[in-house]
Amino acid sequence: MKTCNGFACEKLRKAQRGEQFLIVLDGAPNPLRLGGEDSDDDSILTFICFTDCCITFSFLTDEGELQLAIINCEEIAAFVPLNNSTV
């Protein structure tokens, strides 16, 4: 198993399924917006699992479609817990 470095890796490794977050990637000025081409809303990402430095989240597009996003925790600059997070 790979050792993941960084604050986000350390903290999000402890997240529980269903917890929600806003995620800011390294070099980005704002949280991710994955809803669609013209999305003006920050994407609320729901934690699914943490495996080998990759975090799987689900999110809804602007059209209401459920999608998955897999993000390397080492590329996360900041995150904001949105519900009663244990992180």
Side-chain angles (χ1 to χ4, degrees), residues 12-67:
L12 290 172
R13 180 180 283 117
K14 300 172 188 173
Q16 300 295 312
R17 187 178 185 101
E19 291 181 333
Q20 296 180 320
F21 301 92
L22 295 179
I23 301 291
V24 179
L25 296 180
D26 283 339
N30 298 307
L32 285 172
R33 293 182 175 171
L34 302 172
E37 284 183 24
D38 300 320
S39 182
D40 291 328
D41 297 324
D42 298 337
S43 294
I44 296 173
L45 300 176
T46 302
F47 181 87
I48 296 175
C49 66
F50 184 104
T51 307
D52 294 332
C53 301
C54 290
I55 305 171
T56 302
F57 294 100
S58 64
F59 66 96
L60 290 175
T61 65
D62 290 343
E63 293 78 30
E65 295 178 20
L66 184 65
Q67 297 286 319

